[in-house]
Amino acid sequence: MSEKTIKYETDELIVFWKPSLCKHVGACVHGSPEVFNVKRTPWIDLDRASTDKAIAIIDKCPSGALTYIRK
């Protein structure tokens, strides 16, 4: 059985979130609460910051639950 992956996309970026890998450290939420907000649905809104800022935060994800591909 494959692992669940949720995709978020803009014109410049595709972000993948694998909930089963998430350790809830909060590096994303604390690093960029305007993009990563667990009180909002969807909890990731890539239109709220620059692509470079979103990438910088995703790169700090310690569990690898958040990854991306630049278009």
Side-chain angles (χ1 to χ4, degrees):
M1 188 174 266
S2 66
E3 183 175 17
K4 179 179 180 179
T5 301
I6 300 169
K7 182 171 79 168
Y8 302 88
E9 191 168 349
T10 68
D11 292 340
E12 298 177 15
L13 190 67
I14 303 172
V15 173
F16 303 95
W17 178 53
K18 294 183 178 177
S20 65
L21 293 179
C22 187
K23 301 299 181 200
H24 305 286
V25 171
C28 54
V29 174
H30 298 299
S32 186
E34 64 275 12
V35 175
F36 304 94
N37 183 340
V38 296
K39 295 179 181 176
R40 181 180 60 223
T41 301
W43 79 281
I44 298 175
D45 185 348
L46 297 170
D47 292 327
R48 294 180 175 253
S50 70
T51 296
D52 289 335
K53 181 168 183 173
I55 286 172
I57 299 304
I58 293 166
D59 284 341
K60 294 179 183 179
C61 179
S63 67
L66 288 169
T67 57
Y68 64 89
I69 297 172
R70 257 191 206 269
K71 292 184 177 178

